[in-house]
Amino acid sequence: MNRQRLLLGAQTFREIRETDCYYVDKTALIHRLVSRGRRYFLSRPRRFGKSLLVHTLKDLFEGNEPLFKGLFIHDNWDWSIRHPVLRLSFNGTFTCPEDIERSAIMQLSIIERNAGLEVIPSETAQDYLLDLLDRLHHATGQQVVVLVDEYDKPILDVIDNKQMALAIREKLHGIYGIIKGSEEHVRFVLVTGVSMFTKINLFSDLNHLDNISLHPNYATICGFTDKDLDTVFAPEIKGLDRNKIHDWYNGYNWCGDEKVYNPYDVLLLFERRKFNPYWFETGTPSFLLTLMMDRNISLLDLEKPKVSESELSRFDVANIGSMALFFQTGYLTIVGEETSGTATIYSLDYPNFEVRDSLIRYFFEFLEPLDINISNQGHSFAELLATNEFQTFADQLGYFLAGIPYQWLGENARKECWYATILFGCLRMVGLDVRAEESSRRGRADMVVLHKDQVFVFELKMAYTDKLEETAVGAIAQIQDRGYMDKYRHLNLTMHLIGIAFDREVKTGKSLLLKAVHA
């Protein structure tokens, strides 16, 4: 198989097909989509190919047959019928409702002019859209295909300004409401975006949309599968570690049988031949980390959380669900599904090494006003655990935590969690197998570390100064009594139980006491 072009940054189907670029054929899924329904909504994280899907649909309905030669849909489509396509994209910069109005009117006027219609501007985007749908239908004799790309970006751009976000939401609400009110003129609708805003606000007038974001049939409609890499991109894999490609970039799951890669990561890897967090670096999640601070969410809270289906899809300007936000923006993905009564419960986790490692690193960079090298500290902790130098480990941990600003730690009730988070992050960043909140038959261990053929089971507690010794010993007793270590006995590895008591009466973690026993 010959190598083809890697057209980085290409979002149009036409550009990819006319310049002999690699293309993963998604038209079988598109054919199913178009054949089985007419009104859809699809949520995917940024840079996942949503715009390419929209452009592909545009060329399909406009009847640009040559672009589809050799693809599944070419012999399964009536090319004699051509529909007018009204595509709106809000992938710009928006700071107020007036920006939305100007952008929509400009886009509608261009569509009107390109269709050969007399340009008859309206005072509002809603009136313009209503009139244009009617005129396109009657001028061509075919119903209009409506494609809305990045429908939510104007809201996400100002999501940290609640009042402005609400004002922009109302402006978009009015525009999108026209689509449902013009159903006699509309053949097909697809709305794409990052978030699944609840239907009670933005989508109250679009409640006829079929949300396929978690539909198993369309789980791979955006993104590349392992099969795609091993077939379509086979020439590019030569010289690269195939297992490393999988570990770094695969893992996104939307309830399908197959997990997918972010296309942006894969294409840049093949172009530059170097493993880097390409997707993560395109958008620093400062808003997410600010939210973590405001809501007292630690890294441990992101370790395989369980959420209901309703929580996962809840994304309201006035009430953004924490785990929904991490999931919909691509920092967590679905790794398990179960039912509880009539409710569906999803287990979440980081999709891959890129996201997990990058988010932990960025978390510390976001918090770190001091000259502290987290990675070096992690290596030191790892070496001290490997050599069982527990007292030195305790001393270094105490001094390290002493440099953490008091305001990060919140109230005493949450200090224990933040201390665990910081230790967890240091060890995770240097590649150790660290398992937080590991469940056992009678509870959950704070942290379990598998390193150098040894198992370290940690229990962390807060205590008053005169109770440190008693508390540290009690932490070890809790590990033993509740059997936190039992699930690892079959590994036949050396096992250590570690209890750490932090002094709640000081403002830093310098004062602590560690007890360790061999199990």
Side-chain angles (χ1 to χ4, degrees):
M1 184 185 295
N2 295 326
R3 297 183 70 176
Q4 295 175 262
R5 293 186 62 194
L6 289 163
L7 193 55
L8 297 168
Q11 292 188 337
T12 67
F13 178 70
R14 176 180 292 276
E15 186 178 8
I16 290 174
R17 298 294 287 168
E18 290 184 341
T19 54
D20 192 33
C21 292
Y22 288 107
Y23 176 70
V24 175
D25 188 0
K26 300 288 185 179
T27 62
L29 292 175
I30 290 173
H31 183 265
R32 173 187 286 178
L33 190 74
V34 174
S35 302
R36 298 188 179 187
R38 300 181 64 182
R39 312 283 190 270
Y40 294 103
F41 168 73
L42 176 69
S43 166
R44 287 294 184 270
R46 56 188 168 80
R47 294 188 179 273
F48 237 97
K50 299 185 297 293
S51 295
L52 176 58
L53 174 62
V54 167
H55 281 282
T56 305
L57 284 162
K58 182 176 185 295
D59 282 312
L60 180 67
F61 278 107
E62 287 181 341
N64 296 318
E65 181 182 2
L67 300 178
F68 293 87
K69 287 184 177 179
L71 302 181
F72 171 87
I73 207 167
H74 182 266
D75 297 330
N76 296 281
W77 190 256
D78 186 351
W79 297 104
S80 66
I81 300 175
R82 297 188 174 191
H83 291 271
V85 176
L86 194 156
R87 173 183 169 270
L88 290 174
S89 174
F90 291 104
N91 188 22
T93 301
F94 304 92
T95 60
C96 62
E98 289 72 26
D99 291 340
I100 306 293
E101 190 80 13
R102 283 190 293 269
S103 175
I105 288 175
M106 176 60 72
Q107 292 184 68
L108 293 171
S109 67
I110 292 172
I111 294 170
E112 189 176 36
R113 185 168 60 250
N114 290 343
L117 300 176
E118 178 185 358
V119 177
I120 307 176
S122 301
E123 291 186 2
T124 68
Q126 292 98 309
D127 290 343
Y128 207 153
L129 178 59
L130 180 65
D131 179 64
L132 186 54
L133 287 171
D134 178 82
R135 292 204 292 144
L136 285 171
H137 184 190
H138 288 95
T140 63
Q142 296 292 340
Q143 290 178 303
V144 183
V145 171
V146 178
L147 306 172
V148 182
D149 197 12
E150 304 287 358
Y151 87 97
D152 54 350
K153 187 177 183 298
I155 300 175
L156 297 176
D157 282 349
V158 296
I159 196 67
D160 54 348
N161 182 340
K162 180 179 175 181
Q163 292 305 117
M164 185 57 67
L166 288 170
I168 287 178
R169 187 191 73 183
E170 289 310 303
K171 174 60 67 175
L172 291 170
H173 176 276
I175 294 173
Y176 298 147
I178 298 298
I179 299 173
K180 183 178 182 181
S182 304
E183 286 201 1
E184 71 273 19
H185 303 306
V186 176
R187 158 67 178 87
F188 180 86
V189 176
L190 175 66
V191 177
T192 76
V194 169
S195 58
M196 290 185 277
F197 281 101
T198 50
K199 294 180 181 180
I200 60 173
N201 47 62
L202 186 61
F203 278 171
S204 61
D205 287 332
L206 283 179
N207 54 15
H208 62 313
L209 293 179
D210 182 4
N211 185 353
I212 59 170
S213 303
L214 298 180
H215 196 305
N217 287 345
Y218 305 105
T220 62
I221 199 166
C222 291
F224 301 152
T225 66
D226 272 318
K227 182 180 178 181
D228 295 331
L229 263 65
D230 293 330
T231 54
V232 177
F233 295 103
E236 302 298 327
I237 291 179
K238 294 178 181 178
L240 293 170
D241 185 329
R242 182 65 180 86
N243 291 330
K244 191 173 181 180
I245 296 173
H246 183 277
D247 292 343
W248 262 74
Y249 303 121
N250 187 253
Y252 288 96
N253 183 20
W254 287 279
C255 297
D257 294 329
E258 295 180 277
K259 297 178 181 179
V260 297
Y261 296 80
N262 183 298
Y264 187 80
D265 274 324
V266 171
L267 293 176
L268 275 172
L269 171 67
F270 291 157
E271 173 71 19
R272 301 181 184 178
R273 319 300 293 179
K274 185 177 180 181
F275 289 88
N276 277 320
Y278 298 113
W279 174 80
F280 189 92
E281 291 175 349
T282 61
T284 55
S286 55
F287 170 69
L288 289 178
L289 297 185
T290 299
L291 181 137
M292 288 177 69
M293 297 299 102
D294 292 343
R295 299 188 181 182
N296 220 357
I297 298 170
S298 76
L299 287 177
L300 299 182
D301 296 319
L302 301 182
E303 289 291 307
K304 298 185 179 178
K306 291 190 176 184
V307 296
S308 67
E309 185 174 20
S310 60
E311 289 176 297
L312 201 62
S313 61
R314 191 189 79 208
F315 199 104
D316 189 359
V317 172
N319 185 20
I320 300 175
S322 301
M323 293 304 112
L325 186 59
F326 277 91
F327 168 71
Q328 293 180 29
T329 51
Y331 296 97
L332 294 176
T333 194
I334 295 172
V335 295
E337 180 181 343
E338 59 189 74
T339 56
S340 177
T342 59
T344 299
I345 306 297
Y346 294 110
S347 296
L348 307 181
D349 200 359
Y350 298 110
N352 50 43
F353 175 82
E354 177 203 14
V355 175
R356 184 192 70 192
D357 184 71
S358 299
L359 188 62
I360 292 173
R361 288 179 183 276
Y362 189 73
F363 174 84
F364 283 106
E365 291 172 5
F366 182 81
L367 294 183
E368 187 177 300
L370 306 175
D371 185 20
I372 301 173
N373 191 313
I374 302 296
S375 181
N376 284 350
Q377 189 61 65
H379 283 294
S380 180
F381 286 152
E383 181 61 27
L384 291 170
L385 287 177
T387 56
N388 300 165
E389 297 178 65
F390 297 119
Q391 186 54 55
T392 305
F393 177 92
D395 293 340
Q396 285 199 17
L397 177 60
Y399 284 115
F400 179 64
L401 293 176
I404 304 299
Y406 177 66
Q407 58 268 28
W408 293 358
L409 304 177
E411 298 299 323
N412 281 339
R414 286 291 284 178
K415 275 188 182 180
E416 175 188 315
C417 181
W418 280 104
Y419 290 146
T421 291
I422 292 165
L423 177 58
F424 165 84
C426 287
L427 297 176
R428 258 289 178 89
M429 283 181 67
V430 295
L432 268 63
D433 184 350
V434 188
R435 307 175 184 186
E437 300 290 329
E438 274 285 271
S439 297
S440 71
R441 55 187 171 84
R442 294 183 58 196
R444 297 190 297 179
D446 285 338
M447 192 185 312
V448 178
V449 180
L450 279 69
H451 179 50
K452 298 292 186 180
D453 296 325
Q454 300 179 80
V455 179
F456 305 87
V457 184
F458 286 84
E459 188 66 27
L460 284 61
K461 300 289 186 183
M462 299 299 298
Y464 291 103
T465 305
D466 60 347
K467 298 290 186 181
L468 292 179
E469 175 90 16
E470 176 185 336
T471 303
V473 172
I476 292 177
Q478 178 177 320
I479 296 173
Q480 295 170 325
D481 293 344
R482 298 186 181 180
Y484 291 162
M485 65 290 185
D486 291 349
K487 65 190 300 183
Y488 301 100
R489 291 195 184 282
H490 72 283
L491 299 175
N492 295 318
L493 301 176
T494 301
M495 189 173 298
H496 305 275
L497 313 184
I498 301 174
I500 303 178
F502 297 98
D503 194 334
R504 69 166 66 243
E505 295 181 289
V506 297
K507 291 187 176 182
T508 71
K510 184 175 180 180
S511 182
L512 62 86
L513 192 143
L514 180 149
K515 291 287 185 180
V517 300
H518 178 72

mmCIF file of all heavy atoms in Angstrom, residues 103-140:
data_model
loop_
_atom_site.group_PDB
_atom_site.id
_atom_site.type_symbol
_atom_site.label_atom_id
_atom_site.label_comp_id
_atom_site.label_asym_id
_atom_site.label_seq_id
_atom_site.Cartn_x
_atom_site.Cartn_y
_atom_site.Cartn_z
ATOM 1 N N SER A 103 -23.053 37.189 12.962
ATOM 2 C CA SER A 103 -22.506 36.003 12.305
ATOM 3 C C SER A 103 -23.583 35.235 11.555
ATOM 4 O O SER A 103 -23.383 34.825 10.403
ATOM 5 C CB SER A 103 -21.853 35.092 13.344
ATOM 6 O OG SER A 103 -21.410 33.887 12.754
ATOM 7 N N ALA A 104 -24.730 35.022 12.199
ATOM 8 C CA ALA A 104 -25.810 34.269 11.564
ATOM 9 C C ALA A 104 -26.326 34.982 10.317
ATOM 10 O O ALA A 104 -26.528 34.349 9.270
ATOM 11 C CB ALA A 104 -26.947 34.047 12.559
ATOM 12 N N ILE A 105 -26.530 36.281 10.397
ATOM 13 C CA ILE A 105 -27.024 37.046 9.244
ATOM 14 C C ILE A 105 -26.022 36.995 8.090
ATOM 15 O O ILE A 105 -26.398 36.824 6.925
ATOM 16 C CB ILE A 105 -27.336 38.499 9.659
ATOM 17 C CG1 ILE A 105 -28.595 38.533 10.535
ATOM 18 C CG2 ILE A 105 -27.513 39.391 8.438
ATOM 19 C CD1 ILE A 105 -28.929 39.902 11.087
ATOM 20 N N MET A 106 -24.730 37.132 8.409
ATOM 21 C CA MET A 106 -23.709 37.066 7.363
ATOM 22 C C MET A 106 -23.702 35.699 6.684
ATOM 23 O O MET A 106 -23.655 35.603 5.447
ATOM 24 C CB MET A 106 -22.336 37.358 7.972
ATOM 25 C CG MET A 106 -21.170 37.234 6.991
ATOM 26 S SD MET A 106 -21.330 38.378 5.585
ATOM 27 C CE MET A 106 -20.987 39.932 6.438
ATOM 28 N N GLN A 107 -23.761 34.626 7.476
ATOM 29 C CA GLN A 107 -23.749 33.283 6.898
ATOM 30 C C GLN A 107 -24.988 33.035 6.041
ATOM 31 O O GLN A 107 -24.901 32.434 4.957
ATOM 32 C CB GLN A 107 -23.670 32.239 8.012
ATOM 33 C CG GLN A 107 -22.345 32.228 8.757
ATOM 34 C CD GLN A 107 -22.283 31.120 9.790
ATOM 35 O OE1 GLN A 107 -22.242 29.926 9.436
ATOM 36 N NE2 GLN A 107 -22.290 31.472 11.061
ATOM 37 N N LEU A 108 -26.136 33.484 6.506
ATOM 38 C CA LEU A 108 -27.374 33.293 5.741
ATOM 39 C C LEU A 108 -27.355 34.066 4.441
ATOM 40 O O LEU A 108 -27.842 33.589 3.400
ATOM 41 C CB LEU A 108 -28.575 33.702 6.594
ATOM 42 C CG LEU A 108 -28.861 32.819 7.811
ATOM 43 C CD1 LEU A 108 -29.930 33.434 8.705
ATOM 44 C CD2 LEU A 108 -29.272 31.405 7.390
ATOM 45 N N SER A 109 -26.774 35.261 4.440
ATOM 46 C CA SER A 109 -26.706 36.052 3.210
ATOM 47 C C SER A 109 -25.794 35.388 2.184
ATOM 48 O O SER A 109 -26.066 35.426 0.972
ATOM 49 C CB SER A 109 -26.217 37.471 3.510
ATOM 50 O OG SER A 109 -24.873 37.481 3.940
ATOM 51 N N ILE A 110 -24.710 34.763 2.644
ATOM 52 C CA ILE A 110 -23.813 34.050 1.729
ATOM 53 C C ILE A 110 -24.515 32.837 1.130
ATOM 54 O O ILE A 110 -24.412 32.575 -0.082
ATOM 55 C CB ILE A 110 -22.532 33.625 2.478
ATOM 56 C CG1 ILE A 110 -21.708 34.855 2.866
ATOM 57 C CG2 ILE A 110 -21.694 32.677 1.625
ATOM 58 C CD1 ILE A 110 -20.529 34.548 3.759
ATOM 59 N N ILE A 111 -25.246 32.085 1.958
ATOM 60 C CA ILE A 111 -26.003 30.928 1.455
ATOM 61 C C ILE A 111 -27.025 31.383 0.425
ATOM 62 O O ILE A 111 -27.195 30.764 -0.637
ATOM 63 C CB ILE A 111 -26.696 30.201 2.630
ATOM 64 C CG1 ILE A 111 -25.653 29.586 3.565
ATOM 65 C CG2 ILE A 111 -27.661 29.129 2.122
ATOM 66 C CD1 ILE A 111 -26.218 29.067 4.869
ATOM 67 N N GLU A 112 -27.710 32.463 0.720
ATOM 68 C CA GLU A 112 -28.722 33.016 -0.176
ATOM 69 C C GLU A 112 -28.112 33.404 -1.523
ATOM 70 O O GLU A 112 -28.634 33.059 -2.596
ATOM 71 C CB GLU A 112 -29.350 34.234 0.501
ATOM 72 C CG GLU A 112 -30.570 34.816 -0.194
ATOM 73 C CD GLU A 112 -31.155 35.945 0.638
ATOM 74 O OE1 GLU A 112 -30.379 36.699 1.274
ATOM 75 O OE2 GLU A 112 -32.382 36.064 0.659
ATOM 76 N N ARG A 113 -26.968 34.090 -1.469
ATOM 77 C CA ARG A 113 -26.305 34.541 -2.699
ATOM 78 C C ARG A 113 -25.784 33.360 -3.513
ATOM 79 O O ARG A 113 -25.929 33.317 -4.743
ATOM 80 C CB ARG A 113 -25.164 35.492 -2.339
ATOM 81 C CG ARG A 113 -24.469 36.116 -3.542
ATOM 82 C CD ARG A 113 -23.566 37.259 -3.142
ATOM 83 N NE ARG A 113 -22.514 36.841 -2.212
ATOM 84 C CZ ARG A 113 -22.478 37.185 -0.943
ATOM 85 N NH1 ARG A 113 -23.430 37.934 -0.422
ATOM 86 N NH2 ARG A 113 -21.489 36.781 -0.162
ATOM 87 N N ASN A 114 -25.168 32.380 -2.853
ATOM 88 C CA ASN A 114 -24.630 31.219 -3.557
ATOM 89 C C ASN A 114 -25.724 30.364 -4.183
ATOM 90 O O ASN A 114 -25.472 29.626 -5.144
ATOM 91 C CB ASN A 114 -23.802 30.367 -2.597
ATOM 92 C CG ASN A 114 -22.487 31.035 -2.195
ATOM 93 O OD1 ASN A 114 -22.040 31.976 -2.860
ATOM 94 N ND2 ASN A 114 -21.873 30.559 -1.133
ATOM 95 N N ALA A 115 -26.939 30.442 -3.639
ATOM 96 C CA ALA A 115 -28.068 29.686 -4.197
ATOM 97 C C ALA A 115 -28.688 30.403 -5.390
ATOM 98 O O ALA A 115 -29.632 29.887 -6.003
ATOM 99 C CB ALA A 115 -29.118 29.455 -3.123
ATOM 100 N N GLY A 116 -28.173 31.590 -5.711
ATOM 101 C CA GLY A 116 -28.696 32.343 -6.847
ATOM 102 C C GLY A 116 -29.972 33.081 -6.550
ATOM 103 O O GLY A 116 -30.670 33.516 -7.478
ATOM 104 N N LEU A 117 -30.279 33.234 -5.259
ATOM 105 C CA LEU A 117 -31.496 33.944 -4.876
ATOM 106 C C LEU A 117 -31.212 35.419 -4.684
ATOM 107 O O LEU A 117 -30.082 35.832 -4.400
ATOM 108 C CB LEU A 117 -32.051 33.365 -3.567
ATOM 109 C CG LEU A 117 -32.427 31.874 -3.556
ATOM 110 C CD1 LEU A 117 -32.871 31.465 -2.161
ATOM 111 C CD2 LEU A 117 -33.514 31.580 -4.578
ATOM 112 N N GLU A 118 -32.234 36.214 -4.848
ATOM 113 C CA GLU A 118 -32.103 37.634 -4.562
ATOM 114 C C GLU A 118 -31.862 37.800 -3.058
ATOM 115 O O GLU A 118 -32.551 37.207 -2.231
ATOM 116 C CB GLU A 118 -33.390 38.371 -4.947
ATOM 117 C CG GLU A 118 -33.344 39.865 -4.638
ATOM 118 C CD GLU A 118 -34.668 40.542 -4.909
ATOM 119 O OE1 GLU A 118 -35.611 39.853 -5.384
ATOM 120 O OE2 GLU A 118 -34.784 41.748 -4.630
ATOM 121 N N VAL A 119 -30.863 38.600 -2.716
ATOM 122 C CA VAL A 119 -30.542 38.811 -1.318
ATOM 123 C C VAL A 119 -31.558 39.765 -0.705
ATOM 124 O O VAL A 119 -31.663 40.924 -1.092
ATOM 125 C CB VAL A 119 -29.117 39.381 -1.145
ATOM 126 C CG1 VAL A 119 -28.836 39.666 0.325
ATOM 127 C CG2 VAL A 119 -28.088 38.390 -1.701
ATOM 128 N N ILE A 120 -32.340 39.241 0.226
ATOM 129 C CA ILE A 120 -33.354 40.040 0.907
ATOM 130 C C ILE A 120 -33.083 39.952 2.400
ATOM 131 O O ILE A 120 -33.620 39.094 3.107
ATOM 132 C CB ILE A 120 -34.777 39.531 0.594
ATOM 133 C CG1 ILE A 120 -35.002 39.434 -0.924
ATOM 134 C CG2 ILE A 120 -35.827 40.448 1.234
ATOM 135 C CD1 ILE A 120 -36.341 38.848 -1.293
ATOM 136 N N PRO A 121 -32.197 40.786 2.904
ATOM 137 C CA PRO A 121 -31.835 40.698 4.328
ATOM 138 C C PRO A 121 -32.998 41.029 5.245
ATOM 139 O O PRO A 121 -33.884 41.812 4.900
ATOM 140 C CB PRO A 121 -30.707 41.723 4.458
ATOM 141 C CG PRO A 121 -30.947 42.689 3.347
ATOM 142 C CD PRO A 121 -31.528 41.899 2.216
ATOM 143 N N SER A 122 -32.985 40.392 6.389
ATOM 144 C CA SER A 122 -33.995 40.653 7.424
ATOM 145 C C SER A 122 -33.328 41.331 8.607
ATOM 146 O O SER A 122 -32.098 41.312 8.752
ATOM 147 C CB SER A 122 -34.654 39.347 7.869
ATOM 148 O OG SER A 122 -35.273 38.687 6.779
ATOM 149 N N GLU A 123 -34.133 41.927 9.456
ATOM 150 C CA GLU A 123 -33.582 42.641 10.597
ATOM 151 C C GLU A 123 -33.012 41.703 11.651
ATOM 152 O O GLU A 123 -32.085 42.056 12.372
ATOM 153 C CB GLU A 123 -34.663 43.528 11.232
ATOM 154 C CG GLU A 123 -35.076 44.708 10.358
ATOM 155 C CD GLU A 123 -36.032 45.622 11.083
ATOM 156 O OE1 GLU A 123 -36.331 45.350 12.272
ATOM 157 O OE2 GLU A 123 -36.478 46.607 10.471
ATOM 158 N N THR A 124 -33.569 40.497 11.750
ATOM 159 C CA THR A 124 -33.088 39.537 12.752
ATOM 160 C C THR A 124 -32.701 38.223 12.080
ATOM 161 O O THR A 124 -33.201 37.888 11.001
ATOM 162 C CB THR A 124 -34.158 39.237 13.817
ATOM 163 O OG1 THR A 124 -35.242 38.515 13.203
ATOM 164 C CG2 THR A 124 -34.669 40.529 14.445
ATOM 165 N N ALA A 125 -31.813 37.487 12.742
ATOM 166 C CA ALA A 125 -31.391 36.194 12.217
ATOM 167 C C ALA A 125 -32.562 35.217 12.160
ATOM 168 O O ALA A 125 -32.657 34.401 11.236
ATOM 169 C CB ALA A 125 -30.265 35.633 13.083
ATOM 170 N N GLN A 126 -33.460 35.302 13.159
ATOM 171 C CA GLN A 126 -34.613 34.395 13.163
ATOM 172 C C GLN A 126 -35.489 34.610 11.933
ATOM 173 O O GLN A 126 -35.883 33.648 11.260
ATOM 174 C CB GLN A 126 -35.450 34.598 14.436
ATOM 175 C CG GLN A 126 -34.750 34.145 15.702
ATOM 176 C CD GLN A 126 -34.092 35.296 16.434
ATOM 177 O OE1 GLN A 126 -33.345 36.063 15.822
ATOM 178 N NE2 GLN A 126 -34.368 35.421 17.726
ATOM 179 N N ASP A 127 -35.802 35.866 11.628
ATOM 180 C CA ASP A 127 -36.637 36.157 10.467
ATOM 181 C C ASP A 127 -35.936 35.752 9.177
ATOM 182 O O ASP A 127 -36.566 35.244 8.240
ATOM 183 C CB ASP A 127 -36.980 37.645 10.423
ATOM 184 C CG ASP A 127 -37.938 38.059 11.521
ATOM 185 O OD1 ASP A 127 -38.585 37.158 12.107
ATOM 186 O OD2 ASP A 127 -38.034 39.265 11.817
ATOM 187 N N TYR A 128 -34.629 36.009 9.135
ATOM 188 C CA TYR A 128 -33.854 35.674 7.940
ATOM 189 C C TYR A 128 -33.880 34.166 7.693
ATOM 190 O O TYR A 128 -34.110 33.696 6.572
ATOM 191 C CB TYR A 128 -32.413 36.143 8.136
ATOM 192 C CG TYR A 128 -31.665 36.478 6.864
ATOM 193 C CD1 TYR A 128 -30.622 37.408 6.880
ATOM 194 C CD2 TYR A 128 -31.959 35.853 5.652
ATOM 195 C CE1 TYR A 128 -29.916 37.722 5.732
ATOM 196 C CE2 TYR A 128 -31.268 36.161 4.499
ATOM 197 C CZ TYR A 128 -30.240 37.094 4.550
ATOM 198 O OH TYR A 128 -29.549 37.402 3.411
ATOM 199 N N LEU A 129 -33.653 33.378 8.749
ATOM 200 C CA LEU A 129 -33.645 31.927 8.616
ATOM 201 C C LEU A 129 -35.014 31.407 8.205
ATOM 202 O O LEU A 129 -35.127 30.535 7.330
ATOM 203 C CB LEU A 129 -33.218 31.304 9.953
ATOM 204 C CG LEU A 129 -33.201 29.775 10.028
ATOM 205 C CD1 LEU A 129 -32.267 29.184 8.979
ATOM 206 C CD2 LEU A 129 -32.779 29.318 11.429
ATOM 207 N N LEU A 130 -36.058 31.916 8.808
ATOM 208 C CA LEU A 130 -37.419 31.492 8.477
ATOM 209 C C LEU A 130 -37.724 31.740 7.006
ATOM 210 O O LEU A 130 -38.245 30.864 6.302
ATOM 211 C CB LEU A 130 -38.417 32.248 9.352
ATOM 212 C CG LEU A 130 -39.895 31.930 9.147
ATOM 213 C CD1 LEU A 130 -40.185 30.480 9.536
ATOM 214 C CD2 LEU A 130 -40.760 32.891 9.973
ATOM 215 N N ASP A 131 -37.373 32.927 6.523
ATOM 216 C CA ASP A 131 -37.636 33.290 5.128
ATOM 217 C C ASP A 131 -36.784 32.464 4.169
ATOM 218 O O ASP A 131 -37.262 31.998 3.135
ATOM 219 C CB ASP A 131 -37.361 34.778 4.934
ATOM 220 C CG ASP A 131 -37.583 35.215 3.494
ATOM 221 O OD1 ASP A 131 -38.743 35.133 3.021
ATOM 222 O OD2 ASP A 131 -36.601 35.619 2.839
ATOM 223 N N LEU A 132 -35.509 32.269 4.516
ATOM 224 C CA LEU A 132 -34.597 31.570 3.610
ATOM 225 C C LEU A 132 -34.962 30.096 3.463
ATOM 226 O O LEU A 132 -34.875 29.530 2.363
ATOM 227 C CB LEU A 132 -33.157 31.718 4.109
ATOM 228 C CG LEU A 132 -32.066 31.169 3.186
ATOM 229 C CD1 LEU A 132 -32.170 31.752 1.788
ATOM 230 C CD2 LEU A 132 -30.685 31.449 3.779
ATOM 231 N N LEU A 133 -35.374 29.444 4.531
ATOM 232 C CA LEU A 133 -35.808 28.049 4.424
ATOM 233 C C LEU A 133 -36.972 27.913 3.455
ATOM 234 O O LEU A 133 -37.010 26.996 2.618
ATOM 235 C CB LEU A 133 -36.200 27.516 5.805
ATOM 236 C CG LEU A 133 -35.062 27.226 6.782
ATOM 237 C CD1 LEU A 133 -35.620 26.925 8.172
ATOM 238 C CD2 LEU A 133 -34.221 26.052 6.296
ATOM 239 N N ASP A 134 -37.912 28.819 3.557
ATOM 240 C CA ASP A 134 -39.077 28.799 2.667
ATOM 241 C C ASP A 134 -38.664 29.026 1.216
ATOM 242 O O ASP A 134 -39.103 28.312 0.303
ATOM 243 C CB ASP A 134 -40.075 29.873 3.116
ATOM 244 C CG ASP A 134 -41.293 29.936 2.208
ATOM 245 O OD1 ASP A 134 -42.209 29.117 2.390
ATOM 246 O OD2 ASP A 134 -41.304 30.806 1.295
ATOM 247 N N ARG A 135 -37.806 30.011 0.979
ATOM 248 C CA ARG A 135 -37.430 30.351 -0.402
ATOM 249 C C ARG A 135 -36.541 29.280 -1.037
ATOM 250 O O ARG A 135 -36.661 28.993 -2.232
ATOM 251 C CB ARG A 135 -36.729 31.711 -0.437
ATOM 252 C CG ARG A 135 -37.705 32.855 -0.098
ATOM 253 C CD ARG A 135 -37.231 34.173 -0.663
ATOM 254 N NE ARG A 135 -36.020 34.642 -0.013
ATOM 255 C CZ ARG A 135 -35.043 35.289 -0.641
ATOM 256 N NH1 ARG A 135 -35.120 35.510 -1.935
ATOM 257 N NH2 ARG A 135 -33.990 35.708 0.027
ATOM 258 N N LEU A 136 -35.622 28.683 -0.256
ATOM 259 C CA LEU A 136 -34.791 27.609 -0.797
ATOM 260 C C LEU A 136 -35.640 26.410 -1.201
ATOM 261 O O LEU A 136 -35.412 25.793 -2.253
ATOM 262 C CB LEU A 136 -33.747 27.177 0.242
ATOM 263 C CG LEU A 136 -32.549 28.103 0.465
ATOM 264 C CD1 LEU A 136 -31.743 27.650 1.676
ATOM 265 C CD2 LEU A 136 -31.660 28.145 -0.776
ATOM 266 N N HIS A 137 -36.635 26.083 -0.393
ATOM 267 C CA HIS A 137 -37.508 24.961 -0.684
ATOM 268 C C HIS A 137 -38.286 25.200 -1.983
ATOM 269 O O HIS A 137 -38.315 24.343 -2.885
ATOM 270 C CB HIS A 137 -38.472 24.747 0.489
ATOM 271 C CG HIS A 137 -39.355 23.543 0.337
ATOM 272 N ND1 HIS A 137 -40.426 23.303 1.180
ATOM 273 C CD2 HIS A 137 -39.345 22.521 -0.566
ATOM 274 C CE1 HIS A 137 -41.007 22.177 0.813
ATOM 275 N NE2 HIS A 137 -40.379 21.687 -0.246
ATOM 276 N N HIS A 138 -38.886 26.373 -2.091
ATOM 277 C CA HIS A 138 -39.713 26.644 -3.268
ATOM 278 C C HIS A 138 -38.898 26.892 -4.524
ATOM 279 O O HIS A 138 -39.348 26.582 -5.640
ATOM 280 C CB HIS A 138 -40.638 27.829 -2.988
ATOM 281 C CG HIS A 138 -41.752 27.491 -2.038
ATOM 282 N ND1 HIS A 138 -41.683 27.729 -0.682
ATOM 283 C CD2 HIS A 138 -42.955 26.883 -2.251
ATOM 284 C CE1 HIS A 138 -42.800 27.302 -0.104
ATOM 285 N NE2 HIS A 138 -43.590 26.784 -1.033
ATOM 286 N N ALA A 139 -37.694 27.416 -4.377
ATOM 287 C CA ALA A 139 -36.865 27.688 -5.557
ATOM 288 C C ALA A 139 -36.315 26.406 -6.175
ATOM 289 O O ALA A 139 -36.116 26.325 -7.392
ATOM 290 C CB ALA A 139 -35.709 28.615 -5.178
ATOM 291 N N THR A 140 -36.073 25.385 -5.358
ATOM 292 C CA THR A 140 -35.471 24.146 -5.854
ATOM 293 C C THR A 140 -36.465 23.001 -5.967
ATOM 294 O O THR A 140 -36.196 22.012 -6.659
ATOM 295 C CB THR A 140 -34.334 23.697 -4.913
ATOM 296 O OG1 THR A 140 -34.883 23.411 -3.622
ATOM 297 C CG2 THR A 140 -33.272 24.793 -4.796
#
